[in-house]
PDB file of all heavy atoms in Angstrom:
ATOM      1  N   GLY A 292     -76.677   9.394  27.805  1.00 91.00           N
ATOM      2  CA  GLY A 292     -75.533   8.480  27.500  1.00 91.00           C
ATOM      3  C   GLY A 292     -75.519   7.377  28.568  1.00 91.00           C
ATOM      4  O   GLY A 292     -76.458   7.048  29.127  1.00 91.00           O
ATOM      5  N   ARG A 293     -74.269   7.118  29.048  1.00 88.00           N
ATOM      6  CA  ARG A 293     -74.143   5.982  29.967  1.00 88.00           C
ATOM      7  C   ARG A 293     -74.354   6.392  31.426  1.00 88.00           C
ATOM      8  O   ARG A 293     -73.443   6.478  32.230  1.00 88.00           O
ATOM      9  CB  ARG A 293     -72.688   5.417  29.793  1.00 88.00           C
ATOM     10  CG  ARG A 293     -72.394   4.846  28.420  1.00 88.00           C
ATOM     11  CD  ARG A 293     -71.026   4.698  28.153  1.00 88.00           C
ATOM     12  NE  ARG A 293     -70.395   3.627  29.023  1.00 88.00           N
ATOM     13  CZ  ARG A 293     -70.304   2.388  28.845  1.00 88.00           C
ATOM     14  NH1 ARG A 293     -70.838   1.816  27.676  1.00 88.00           N
ATOM     15  NH2 ARG A 293     -69.675   1.443  29.664  1.00 88.00           N
ATOM     16  N   THR A 294     -75.514   6.722  31.690  1.00 83.00           N
ATOM     17  CA  THR A 294     -75.840   7.339  33.024  1.00 83.00           C
ATOM     18  C   THR A 294     -75.673   6.312  34.132  1.00 83.00           C
ATOM     19  O   THR A 294     -75.450   6.712  35.254  1.00 83.00           O
ATOM     20  CB  THR A 294     -77.276   7.978  33.097  1.00 83.00           C
ATOM     21  OG1 THR A 294     -78.194   6.826  32.691  1.00 83.00           O
ATOM     22  CG2 THR A 294     -77.324   9.122  32.165  1.00 83.00           C
ATOM     23  N   PHE A 295     -75.735   5.056  33.845  1.00 81.00           N
ATOM     24  CA  PHE A 295     -75.494   4.010  34.828  1.00 81.00           C
ATOM     25  C   PHE A 295     -74.108   4.137  35.432  1.00 81.00           C
ATOM     26  O   PHE A 295     -73.860   3.516  36.498  1.00 81.00           O
ATOM     27  CB  PHE A 295     -75.716   2.606  34.244  1.00 81.00           C
ATOM     28  CG  PHE A 295     -74.849   2.207  33.143  1.00 81.00           C
ATOM     29  CD1 PHE A 295     -73.549   1.671  33.400  1.00 81.00           C
ATOM     30  CD2 PHE A 295     -75.172   2.501  31.815  1.00 81.00           C
ATOM     31  CE1 PHE A 295     -72.759   1.391  32.248  1.00 81.00           C
ATOM     32  CE2 PHE A 295     -74.371   2.107  30.821  1.00 81.00           C
ATOM     33  CZ  PHE A 295     -73.107   1.611  30.995  1.00 81.00           C
ATOM     34  N   SER A 296     -73.162   4.758  34.696  1.00 83.00           N
ATOM     35  CA  SER A 296     -71.818   4.854  35.234  1.00 83.00           C
ATOM     36  C   SER A 296     -71.636   6.096  36.243  1.00 83.00           C
ATOM     37  O   SER A 296     -70.529   6.264  36.814  1.00 83.00           O
ATOM     38  CB  SER A 296     -70.845   5.039  34.135  1.00 83.00           C
ATOM     39  OG  SER A 296     -71.031   6.269  33.485  1.00 83.00           O
ATOM     40  N   LEU A 297     -72.659   6.809  36.319  1.00 86.00           N
ATOM     41  CA  LEU A 297     -72.610   8.027  37.271  1.00 86.00           C
ATOM     42  C   LEU A 297     -72.871   7.739  38.679  1.00 86.00           C
ATOM     43  O   LEU A 297     -73.796   7.009  39.014  1.00 86.00           O
ATOM     44  CB  LEU A 297     -73.581   9.089  36.677  1.00 86.00           C
ATOM     45  CG  LEU A 297     -73.346   9.621  35.271  1.00 86.00           C
ATOM     46  CD1 LEU A 297     -74.332  10.674  34.909  1.00 86.00           C
ATOM     47  CD2 LEU A 297     -71.937  10.118  35.062  1.00 86.00           C
ATOM     48  N   SER A 298     -72.164   8.514  39.552  1.00 91.00           N
ATOM     49  CA  SER A 298     -72.636   8.516  40.942  1.00 91.00           C
ATOM     50  C   SER A 298     -72.948   9.814  41.387  1.00 91.00           C
ATOM     51  O   SER A 298     -73.849   9.993  42.342  1.00 91.00           O
ATOM     52  CB  SER A 298     -71.364   8.006  41.784  1.00 91.00           C
ATOM     53  OG  SER A 298     -71.233   6.620  41.641  1.00 91.00           O
ATOM     54  N   SER A 299     -72.418  10.927  40.713  1.00 94.00           N
ATOM     55  CA  SER A 299     -72.769  12.272  41.196  1.00 94.00           C
ATOM     56  C   SER A 299     -72.982  13.241  39.992  1.00 94.00           C
ATOM     57  O   SER A 299     -72.178  13.043  39.083  1.00 94.00           O
ATOM     58  CB  SER A 299     -71.628  12.881  42.148  1.00 94.00           C
ATOM     59  OG  SER A 299     -71.410  12.168  43.282  1.00 94.00           O
ATOM     60  N   VAL A 300     -73.857  14.085  40.229  1.00 95.00           N
ATOM     61  CA  VAL A 300     -73.967  15.230  39.309  1.00 95.00           C
ATOM     62  C   VAL A 300     -73.916  16.500  39.983  1.00 95.00           C
ATOM     63  O   VAL A 300     -74.651  16.589  40.999  1.00 95.00           O
ATOM     64  CB  VAL A 300     -75.296  15.107  38.353  1.00 95.00           C
ATOM     65  CG1 VAL A 300     -75.362  16.372  37.391  1.00 95.00           C
ATOM     66  CG2 VAL A 300     -75.262  13.900  37.542  1.00 95.00           C
ATOM     67  N   ALA A 301     -73.072  17.386  39.670  1.00 97.00           N
ATOM     68  CA  ALA A 301     -72.897  18.604  40.346  1.00 97.00           C
ATOM     69  C   ALA A 301     -72.959  19.943  39.609  1.00 97.00           C
ATOM     70  O   ALA A 301     -72.731  19.767  38.305  1.00 97.00           O
ATOM     71  CB  ALA A 301     -71.574  18.569  41.062  1.00 97.00           C
ATOM     72  N   TRP A 302     -73.113  20.956  40.165  1.00 98.00           N
ATOM     73  CA  TRP A 302     -72.912  22.294  39.547  1.00 98.00           C
ATOM     74  C   TRP A 302     -71.761  22.916  40.174  1.00 98.00           C
ATOM     75  O   TRP A 302     -71.474  22.981  41.401  1.00 98.00           O
ATOM     76  CB  TRP A 302     -74.114  23.164  39.767  1.00 98.00           C
ATOM     77  CG  TRP A 302     -75.329  22.793  38.982  1.00 98.00           C
ATOM     78  CD1 TRP A 302     -76.346  21.952  39.323  1.00 98.00           C
ATOM     79  CD2 TRP A 302     -75.720  23.198  37.653  1.00 98.00           C
ATOM     80  NE1 TRP A 302     -77.239  21.780  38.362  1.00 98.00           N
ATOM     81  CE2 TRP A 302     -76.820  22.508  37.353  1.00 98.00           C
ATOM     82  CE3 TRP A 302     -74.999  24.002  36.631  1.00 98.00           C
ATOM     83  CZ2 TRP A 302     -77.423  22.768  36.032  1.00 98.00           C
ATOM     84  CZ3 TRP A 302     -75.564  24.148  35.451  1.00 98.00           C
ATOM     85  CH2 TRP A 302     -76.830  23.442  35.111  1.00 98.00           C
ATOM     86  N   PHE A 303     -70.885  23.468  39.219  1.00 98.00           N
ATOM     87  CA  PHE A 303     -69.646  24.228  39.664  1.00 98.00           C
ATOM     88  C   PHE A 303     -69.994  25.591  38.971  1.00 98.00           C
ATOM     89  O   PHE A 303     -70.678  25.770  38.118  1.00 98.00           O
ATOM     90  CB  PHE A 303     -68.420  23.675  39.118  1.00 98.00           C
ATOM     91  CG  PHE A 303     -68.019  22.450  39.919  1.00 98.00           C
ATOM     92  CD1 PHE A 303     -68.452  21.198  39.544  1.00 98.00           C
ATOM     93  CD2 PHE A 303     -67.012  22.436  40.798  1.00 98.00           C
ATOM     94  CE1 PHE A 303     -68.172  19.981  40.092  1.00 98.00           C
ATOM     95  CE2 PHE A 303     -66.707  21.213  41.407  1.00 98.00           C
ATOM     96  CZ  PHE A 303     -67.241  20.033  41.146  1.00 98.00           C
ATOM     97  N   ARG A 304     -69.091  26.621  39.445  1.00 98.00           N
ATOM     98  CA  ARG A 304     -69.125  27.915  38.723  1.00 98.00           C
ATOM     99  C   ARG A 304     -67.695  28.485  38.665  1.00 98.00           C
ATOM    100  O   ARG A 304     -66.947  28.205  39.551  1.00 98.00           O
ATOM    101  CB  ARG A 304     -70.075  28.846  39.438  1.00 98.00           C
ATOM    102  CG  ARG A 304     -69.685  29.302  40.874  1.00 98.00           C
ATOM    103  CD  ARG A 304     -70.751  30.148  41.511  1.00 98.00           C
ATOM    104  NE  ARG A 304     -70.422  30.599  42.833  1.00 98.00           N
ATOM    105  CZ  ARG A 304     -71.241  31.180  43.689  1.00 98.00           C
ATOM    106  NH1 ARG A 304     -72.492  31.459  43.348  1.00 98.00           N
ATOM    107  NH2 ARG A 304     -70.817  31.592  44.852  1.00 98.00           N
ATOM    108  N   GLN A 305     -67.525  29.414  37.800  1.00 98.00           N
ATOM    109  CA  GLN A 305     -66.286  30.141  37.677  1.00 98.00           C
ATOM    110  C   GLN A 305     -66.409  31.497  37.291  1.00 98.00           C
ATOM    111  O   GLN A 305     -66.944  31.858  36.197  1.00 98.00           O
ATOM    112  CB  GLN A 305     -65.406  29.416  36.574  1.00 98.00           C
ATOM    113  CG  GLN A 305     -63.983  29.984  36.575  1.00 98.00           C
ATOM    114  CD  GLN A 305     -62.934  28.953  35.728  1.00 98.00           C
ATOM    115  OE1 GLN A 305     -63.471  28.170  34.962  1.00 98.00           O
ATOM    116  NE2 GLN A 305     -61.746  29.203  35.947  1.00 98.00           N
ATOM    117  N   ALA A 306     -66.022  32.430  38.182  1.00 97.00           N
ATOM    118  CA  ALA A 306     -66.132  33.858  37.998  1.00 97.00           C
ATOM    119  C   ALA A 306     -64.805  34.202  37.302  1.00 97.00           C
ATOM    120  O   ALA A 306     -63.752  33.565  37.444  1.00 97.00           O
ATOM    121  CB  ALA A 306     -66.383  34.583  39.323  1.00 97.00           C
ATOM    122  N   PRO A 307     -64.853  35.396  36.636  1.00 91.00           N
ATOM    123  CA  PRO A 307     -63.566  35.907  35.951  1.00 91.00           C
ATOM    124  C   PRO A 307     -62.492  36.076  36.937  1.00 91.00           C
ATOM    125  O   PRO A 307     -62.703  36.459  38.096  1.00 91.00           O
ATOM    126  CB  PRO A 307     -63.999  37.261  35.454  1.00 91.00           C
ATOM    127  CG  PRO A 307     -65.398  37.178  35.241  1.00 91.00           C
ATOM    128  CD  PRO A 307     -65.962  36.266  36.325  1.00 91.00           C
ATOM    129  N   THR A 308     -61.219  35.491  36.673  1.00 93.00           N
ATOM    130  CA  THR A 308     -60.048  35.599  37.389  1.00 93.00           C
ATOM    131  C   THR A 308     -60.031  34.694  38.640  1.00 93.00           C
ATOM    132  O   THR A 308     -59.152  34.628  39.446  1.00 93.00           O
ATOM    133  CB  THR A 308     -59.579  36.991  37.921  1.00 93.00           C
ATOM    134  OG1 THR A 308     -60.557  37.430  38.881  1.00 93.00           O
ATOM    135  CG2 THR A 308     -59.789  37.925  36.730  1.00 93.00           C
ATOM    136  N   LYS A 309     -61.134  33.909  38.757  1.00 96.00           N
ATOM    137  CA  LYS A 309     -61.245  32.977  39.957  1.00 96.00           C
ATOM    138  C   LYS A 309     -61.148  31.537  39.413  1.00 96.00           C
ATOM    139  O   LYS A 309     -61.407  31.152  38.322  1.00 96.00           O
ATOM    140  CB  LYS A 309     -62.463  33.240  40.757  1.00 96.00           C
ATOM    141  CG  LYS A 309     -62.459  34.616  41.466  1.00 96.00           C
ATOM    142  CD  LYS A 309     -63.568  34.678  42.418  1.00 96.00           C
ATOM    143  CE  LYS A 309     -63.581  36.077  43.132  1.00 96.00           C
ATOM    144  NZ  LYS A 309     -64.729  36.170  44.037  1.00 96.00           N
ATOM    145  N   GLU A 310     -60.868  30.590  40.451  1.00 96.00           N
ATOM    146  CA  GLU A 310     -60.893  29.185  40.107  1.00 96.00           C
ATOM    147  C   GLU A 310     -62.213  28.717  40.075  1.00 96.00           C
ATOM    148  O   GLU A 310     -63.232  29.308  40.702  1.00 96.00           O
ATOM    149  CB  GLU A 310     -60.076  28.478  41.139  1.00 96.00           C
ATOM    150  CG  GLU A 310     -58.661  28.658  41.040  1.00 96.00           C
ATOM    151  CD  GLU A 310     -57.764  27.685  42.021  1.00 96.00           C
ATOM    152  OE1 GLU A 310     -58.352  26.854  42.708  1.00 96.00           O
ATOM    153  OE2 GLU A 310     -56.557  27.748  41.855  1.00 96.00           O
ATOM    154  N   ARG A 311     -62.548  27.642  39.447  1.00 97.00           N
ATOM    155  CA  ARG A 311     -63.743  26.978  39.352  1.00 97.00           C
ATOM    156  C   ARG A 311     -64.130  26.373  40.743  1.00 97.00           C
ATOM    157  O   ARG A 311     -63.306  25.679  41.347  1.00 97.00           O
ATOM    158  CB  ARG A 311     -63.840  25.909  38.232  1.00 97.00           C
ATOM    159  CG  ARG A 311     -65.157  25.375  37.873  1.00 97.00           C
ATOM    160  CD  ARG A 311     -65.124  24.478  36.670  1.00 97.00           C
ATOM    161  NE  ARG A 311     -64.710  25.237  35.395  1.00 97.00           N
ATOM    162  CZ  ARG A 311     -64.601  24.710  34.262  1.00 97.00           C
ATOM    163  NH1 ARG A 311     -65.011  23.490  34.044  1.00 97.00           N
ATOM    164  NH2 ARG A 311     -64.174  25.442  33.287  1.00 97.00           N
ATOM    165  N   GLU A 312     -65.212  26.670  41.218  1.00 97.00           N
ATOM    166  CA  GLU A 312     -65.613  26.284  42.621  1.00 97.00           C
ATOM    167  C   GLU A 312     -66.945  25.408  42.573  1.00 97.00           C
ATOM    168  O   GLU A 312     -67.825  25.618  41.756  1.00 97.00           O
ATOM    169  CB  GLU A 312     -65.738  27.490  43.462  1.00 97.00           C
ATOM    170  CG  GLU A 312     -66.904  28.379  43.130  1.00 97.00           C
ATOM    171  CD  GLU A 312     -67.086  29.552  44.158  1.00 97.00           C
ATOM    172  OE1 GLU A 312     -66.204  29.729  45.119  1.00 97.00           O
ATOM    173  OE2 GLU A 312     -68.093  30.266  44.111  1.00 97.00           O
ATOM    174  N   PHE A 313     -67.069  24.589  43.611  1.00 98.00           N
ATOM    175  CA  PHE A 313     -68.240  23.757  43.829  1.00 98.00           C
ATOM    176  C   PHE A 313     -69.370  24.601  44.336  1.00 98.00           C
ATOM    177  O   PHE A 313     -69.229  25.469  45.138  1.00 98.00           O
ATOM    178  CB  PHE A 313     -67.845  22.653  44.866  1.00 98.00           C
ATOM    179  CG  PHE A 313     -69.055  21.909  45.331  1.00 98.00           C
ATOM    180  CD1 PHE A 313     -69.642  20.937  44.582  1.00 98.00           C
ATOM    181  CD2 PHE A 313     -69.488  22.173  46.688  1.00 98.00           C
ATOM    182  CE1 PHE A 313     -70.784  20.257  45.015  1.00 98.00           C
ATOM    183  CE2 PHE A 313     -70.594  21.437  47.082  1.00 98.00           C
ATOM    184  CZ  PHE A 313     -71.285  20.565  46.373  1.00 98.00           C
ATOM    185  N   VAL A 314     -70.520  24.214  43.764  1.00 98.00           N
ATOM    186  CA  VAL A 314     -71.786  24.933  44.210  1.00 98.00           C
ATOM    187  C   VAL A 314     -72.724  23.987  44.839  1.00 98.00           C
ATOM    188  O   VAL A 314     -73.163  24.149  46.031  1.00 98.00           O
ATOM    189  CB  VAL A 314     -72.522  25.557  43.030  1.00 98.00           C
ATOM    190  CG1 VAL A 314     -73.833  26.219  43.465  1.00 98.00           C
ATOM    191  CG2 VAL A 314     -71.594  26.650  42.324  1.00 98.00           C
ATOM    192  N   ALA A 315     -73.011  22.897  44.185  1.00 98.00           N
ATOM    193  CA  ALA A 315     -73.998  21.883  44.778  1.00 98.00           C
ATOM    194  C   ALA A 315     -73.841  20.522  44.062  1.00 98.00           C
ATOM    195  O   ALA A 315     -73.437  20.546  42.884  1.00 98.00           O
ATOM    196  CB  ALA A 315     -75.456  22.471  44.565  1.00 98.00           C
ATOM    197  N   LYS A 316     -74.193  19.425  44.842  1.00 97.00           N
ATOM    198  CA  LYS A 316     -74.074  18.148  44.270  1.00 97.00           C
ATOM    199  C   LYS A 316     -75.303  17.254  44.607  1.00 97.00           C
ATOM    200  O   LYS A 316     -75.886  17.466  45.656  1.00 97.00           O
ATOM    201  CB  LYS A 316     -72.833  17.558  44.860  1.00 97.00           C
ATOM    202  CG  LYS A 316     -72.543  16.084  44.454  1.00 97.00           C
ATOM    203  CD  LYS A 316     -71.297  15.532  45.170  1.00 97.00           C
ATOM    204  CE  LYS A 316     -71.627  15.052  46.518  1.00 97.00           C
ATOM    205  NZ  LYS A 316     -72.468  13.774  46.751  1.00 97.00           N
ATOM    206  N   LEU A 317     -75.610  16.420  43.719  1.00 95.00           N
ATOM    207  CA  LEU A 317     -76.760  15.373  43.892  1.00 95.00           C
ATOM    208  C   LEU A 317     -76.169  14.106  43.601  1.00 95.00           C
ATOM    209  O   LEU A 317     -75.545  13.792  42.575  1.00 95.00           O
ATOM    210  CB  LEU A 317     -77.808  15.759  42.903  1.00 95.00           C
ATOM    211  CG  LEU A 317     -79.075  14.980  42.931  1.00 95.00           C
ATOM    212  CD1 LEU A 317     -80.303  15.795  42.641  1.00 95.00           C
ATOM    213  CD2 LEU A 317     -78.966  13.824  41.893  1.00 95.00           C
ATOM    214  N   ARG A 318     -76.395  13.088  44.528  1.00 93.00           N
ATOM    215  CA  ARG A 318     -76.014  11.780  44.323  1.00 93.00           C
ATOM    216  C   ARG A 318     -77.046  11.040  43.396  1.00 93.00           C
ATOM    217  O   ARG A 318     -78.262  11.129  43.682  1.00 93.00           O
ATOM    218  CB  ARG A 318     -75.811  10.893  45.662  1.00 93.00           C
ATOM    219  CG  ARG A 318     -75.188   9.734  45.538  1.00 93.00           C
ATOM    220  CD  ARG A 318     -74.585   9.200  46.786  1.00 93.00           C
ATOM    221  NE  ARG A 318     -75.404   9.113  47.754  1.00 93.00           N
ATOM    222  CZ  ARG A 318     -75.112   8.779  49.112  1.00 93.00           C
ATOM    223  NH1 ARG A 318     -73.780   8.563  49.405  1.00 93.00           N
ATOM    224  NH2 ARG A 318     -76.036   8.581  50.001  1.00 93.00           N
ATOM    225  N   TRP A 319     -76.572  10.451  42.393  1.00 85.00           N
ATOM    226  CA  TRP A 319     -77.504   9.919  41.391  1.00 85.00           C
ATOM    227  C   TRP A 319     -78.397   8.779  41.839  1.00 85.00           C
ATOM    228  O   TRP A 319     -79.579   8.734  41.475  1.00 85.00           O
ATOM    229  CB  TRP A 319     -76.721   9.456  40.156  1.00 85.00           C
ATOM    230  CG  TRP A 319     -77.372   9.168  38.910  1.00 85.00           C
ATOM    231  CD1 TRP A 319     -77.729   8.086  38.273  1.00 85.00           C
ATOM    232  CD2 TRP A 319     -77.919  10.271  38.072  1.00 85.00           C
ATOM    233  NE1 TRP A 319     -78.367   8.203  37.155  1.00 85.00           N
ATOM    234  CE2 TRP A 319     -78.512   9.612  36.981  1.00 85.00           C
ATOM    235  CE3 TRP A 319     -77.959  11.683  38.194  1.00 85.00           C
ATOM    236  CZ2 TRP A 319     -79.160  10.314  35.912  1.00 85.00           C
ATOM    237  CZ3 TRP A 319     -78.626  12.292  37.136  1.00 85.00           C
ATOM    238  CH2 TRP A 319     -79.165  11.621  36.039  1.00 85.00           C
ATOM    239  N   SER A 320     -77.888   8.007  42.718  1.00 84.00           N
ATOM    240  CA  SER A 320     -78.646   6.832  43.162  1.00 84.00           C
ATOM    241  C   SER A 320     -79.858   7.166  44.153  1.00 84.00           C
ATOM    242  O   SER A 320     -80.837   6.572  43.971  1.00 84.00           O
ATOM    243  CB  SER A 320     -77.707   5.748  43.885  1.00 84.00           C
ATOM    244  OG  SER A 320     -77.088   6.447  45.088  1.00 84.00           O
TER     245      SER A 320
END
Side-chain angles (χ1 to χ4, degrees):
R293 299 167 62 91
T294 57
F295 60 85
S296 67
L297 300 180
S298 288
S299 298
V300 177
W302 287 93
F303 290 80
R304 67 186 183 186
Q305 187 166 17
T308 73
K309 292 189 176 181
E310 290 191 355
R311 194 170 297 187
E312 65 176 6
F313 168 76
V314 176
K316 180 181 78 71
L317 179 145
R318 191 157 61 185
W319 198 249
S320 60

